[in-house]
Amino acid sequence: MSRSPSSLDIAFGLLHEGRLVDAEQVMRRELLAVESRHGRESAEWASVQCDFGNLLFASGQSDRAVECFRSACSGPPSGDPETRKEQLTYGLNLGMALDVAGRLDEAETELRRNLREREVFYGREHPGHAFALEPLADVLLRRGDVAQARQVVEEAVGTYWRSGHERVAAALAARGEIVVAGGAGEPPFSALDRLPDEVVEGVAYAAVDRSARDPMLGKVVLARLADALEERLGPDHQATLNVLSQLANAGRDCGDQAGRVEAIGKVLASYDRQGREEDALMAALALAMAQDETGDTAGALATYARAQAIADRLGRPEFHAQVLRNWGLALAAADRPAEAEERLRAAVGVADLGTDHEILGRSRIALGLFLQHADRLDEARHVVEAGLATLDVAHPDAITGRSHLTAIAAGRSCGCGDVQGAIADAFREFVLGRLPNDLLADLSVTVEDGDFAINAELRREPTEAEIEHLNQLIQSATAEFRGRLVAGG
């Protein structure tokens, strides 16, 4: 019999849909309910604080997650073994969040404290003790103490290996990264041929997860691992393909466009060999974008034609529209306006036949911007407005469309309007839509020094709960929109 989803399940579901503010509201309501039933600083309250911290941590808000984990750790050590295990988890999470927040001194202090407490509770040879060794090794690596990081991670690997614990894969991935950072030329993944397949796959997944922490180091690690996986598991194994895909992302982030193209090309070739056409389509679109960014316009356009052939075979409107939209944008950038308009209009027409409102809105925005740059402003305005009607106010393409609409209204065929102003307007609309209609007389949102400046003018005297809700909502919205502000700046 399946259980009902918990508040944390619901919150993470909302987070995966991009609805961070709504996800936080779910956890806030759960925290208030548990506090009402069991009291502040109860074991139940601490558990929900930890859950809330996990949600904030997953959404990239490590400083706010730290405060939740500190609250979870605020109670005295429990004499109940199960509750004590949970408390040790809260302390471990606190140390890891401090690490990600860049507060390395505090992180090392908390992790060493947690390690001592785990040794008392579990013993030094227990996997429960090794759980704190891994993040401690990460902190030491970030602080530049590679030798001590290696010593700590080797202890974790040994403990997991002797106990047969599945975390050995993650520890081996960390060890490989530390070996590469040491720069001595030692093979970081030389033991893969002696490991079971499931452990090798686990190393790959853990390495992908770790790679974003330090893109330059991660790129080197992934390249070495991809070679080892091709030999150990084969070029068509999903673990190999996952590592190659992440290697392509690392190449983009580090400016290695040639390496990015090579990695995506290997992934696409594998999907072709396996007849995985949906995956091949996505890989072809990624390859075309990478080729375009390297200046290989001819190669990119040829890859879009190849992607269109795959979309034809799949026969789904949203796939056709995505290919046509991207292809049209590439043609416009290549100064081939007639072909660009043909494909952008076709993208809108095909998307209109399907049920994916997001790709319809994105296709309309792309066509509208093309028409604006062609000085066909009346037509551009109608198309952009239609696109905005099908997109969420916070969608990046909606923000782009709104900023262009400002330029169109001003009679400008070039220039993209005030992107930061459009983001601020979207922020304002986003917050007002989640507050009681009679609470605010006005909400002013501007961008100052690369961040949001917010001024709320109250219409009436708010309750304490409403003030708390408003403050938390603004915090959440700031986290949700800040990445778009950086991208649009």
Side-chain angles (χ1 to χ4, degrees):
M1 182 176 179
S2 61
R3 65 175 180 84
S4 299
S6 67
S7 294
L8 186 62
D9 294 331
I10 295 168
F12 267 98
L14 291 167
L15 179 62
H16 292 151
E17 293 175 9
R19 297 166 59 187
L20 170 60
V21 171
D22 295 334
E24 289 192 32
Q25 292 303 314
V26 169
M27 291 311 303
R28 253 184 222 105
R29 287 194 295 269
E30 177 68 11
L31 187 61
L32 290 172
V34 168
E35 182 177 337
S36 176
R37 288 197 303 269
H38 301 283
R40 186 177 279 263
E41 298 185 6
S42 64
E44 294 82 0
W45 181 84
S47 178
V48 179
Q49 283 284 6
C50 181
D51 287 345
F52 202 170
N54 287 330
L55 178 74
L56 294 169
F57 188 75
S59 66
Q61 300 180 76
S62 51
D63 281 311
R64 291 181 65 199
V66 163
E67 298 312 310
C68 284
F69 292 137
R70 281 200 195 281
S71 295
C73 293
S74 60
S78 174
D80 175 66
E82 291 305 312
T83 302
R84 185 57 183 151
K85 285 182 185 179
E86 292 175 356
Q87 290 177 329
L88 292 172
T89 298
Y90 307 156
L92 183 63
N93 289 355
L94 173 59
M96 293 167 66
L98 285 164
D99 175 19
V100 173
R103 296 155 64 176
L104 300 184
D105 287 346
E106 294 175 81
E108 183 173 351
T109 297
E110 292 296 339
L111 289 170
R112 289 194 182 280
R113 176 186 295 119
N114 193 258
L115 193 62
R116 291 192 298 271
E117 293 172 348
R118 284 172 177 273
E119 185 171 356
V120 170
F121 186 81
Y122 290 108
R124 195 175 183 94
E125 293 298 316
H126 194 281
H129 177 259
F131 287 169
L133 290 170
E134 288 180 72
L136 178 58
D138 283 335
V139 170
L140 292 168
L141 176 62
R142 291 189 67 191
R143 302 194 72 171
D145 191 346
V146 179
Q148 191 175 3
R150 177 72 180 269
Q151 179 181 345
V152 170
V153 81
E154 291 287 9
E155 183 179 352
V157 169
T159 299
Y160 289 140
W161 184 256
R162 288 188 296 272
S163 63
H165 198 281
E166 62 184 6
R167 283 293 305 179
V168 70
L172 285 168
R175 178 187 180 277
E177 188 173 315
I178 292 168
V179 168
V180 170
E186 178 184 352
F189 300 106
S190 58
L192 293 189
D193 60 335
R194 299 193 297 273
L195 298 174
D197 285 0
E198 61 271 18
V199 175
V200 176
E201 293 167 12
V203 172
Y205 295 131
V208 166
D209 188 53
R210 295 177 59 85
S211 62
R213 304 180 191 190
D214 183 339
M216 291 298 293
L217 176 60
K219 184 170 78 72
V220 178
V221 171
L222 291 171
R224 304 282 288 277
L225 181 56
D227 291 341
L229 290 173
E230 285 192 40
E231 183 176 342
R232 172 66 176 79
L233 297 175
D236 295 334
H237 194 284
Q238 191 59 53
T240 306
L241 298 174
N242 289 346
V243 169
L244 285 169
S245 296
Q246 187 62 20
L247 179 59
N249 293 337
R252 177 199 60 212
D253 295 340
C254 298
D256 180 11
Q257 297 294 353
R260 177 187 175 195
V261 168
E262 180 183 1
I264 299 173
K266 288 183 177 181
V267 173
L268 177 55
S270 174
Y271 289 147
D272 282 341
R273 285 193 298 270
Q274 298 180 69
R276 295 169 57 177
E277 293 208 310
E278 286 191 24
D279 292 322
L281 176 64
M282 295 300 110
L285 289 174
L287 178 59
M289 292 179 65
Q291 289 170 318
D292 205 18
E293 291 174 19
T294 63
D296 182 10
T297 302
L301 296 178
T303 302
Y304 280 123
R306 179 180 177 185
Q308 179 61 27
I310 300 173
D312 286 340
R313 291 194 295 273
L314 291 170
R316 288 171 55 180
E318 64 271 22
F319 289 156
H320 275 112
Q322 189 169 355
V323 173
L324 289 165
R325 173 191 175 276
N326 291 14
W327 196 357
L329 291 173
L331 285 163
D335 198 22
R336 294 164 62 172
E339 296 167 89
E341 182 172 354
E342 177 187 353
R343 282 164 181 79
L344 290 171
R345 287 193 181 279
V348 173
V350 171
D352 209 16
L353 298 174
T355 58
D356 189 329
H357 299 298
E358 180 179 342
I359 190 59
L360 175 60
R362 297 186 70 207
S363 298
R364 286 172 170 167
I365 296 293
L367 175 60
L369 270 54
F370 171 84
L371 294 170
Q372 176 201 5
H373 296 148
D375 204 18
R376 294 151 65 179
L377 300 185
D378 285 342
E379 189 179 4
R381 179 175 60 81
H382 289 301
V383 175
V384 171
E385 287 175 345
L388 292 174
T390 63
L391 288 175
D392 184 271
V393 64
H395 193 286
D397 280 24
I399 292 170
T400 300
R402 187 176 288 106
S403 72
H404 281 73
L405 196 58
T406 302
I408 292 169
R412 298 199 303 272
S413 61
C414 61
C416 298
D418 180 8
V419 177
Q420 292 190 343
I423 296 171
D425 288 344
F427 184 113
R428 179 179 181 277
E429 187 174 337
F430 187 86
V431 171
L432 288 175
R434 287 163 172 77
L435 291 172
N437 293 332
D438 65 338
L439 179 60
L440 297 184
D442 190 27
L443 179 68
S444 170
V445 182
T446 57
V447 177
E448 298 178 7
D449 298 324
D451 210 342
F452 295 104
I454 300 152
N455 182 53
E457 182 180 333
L458 295 168
R459 188 187 301 276
R460 59 172 172 78
E461 187 70 25
T463 66
E464 184 177 339
E466 285 175 331
I467 286 291
E468 183 179 6
H469 174 62
L470 174 61
N471 290 335
Q472 291 170 342
L473 179 59
I474 288 174
Q475 275 188 318
S476 303
T478 300
E480 188 156 326
F481 279 84
R482 186 170 279 140
R484 295 163 201 176
L485 182 62
V486 171

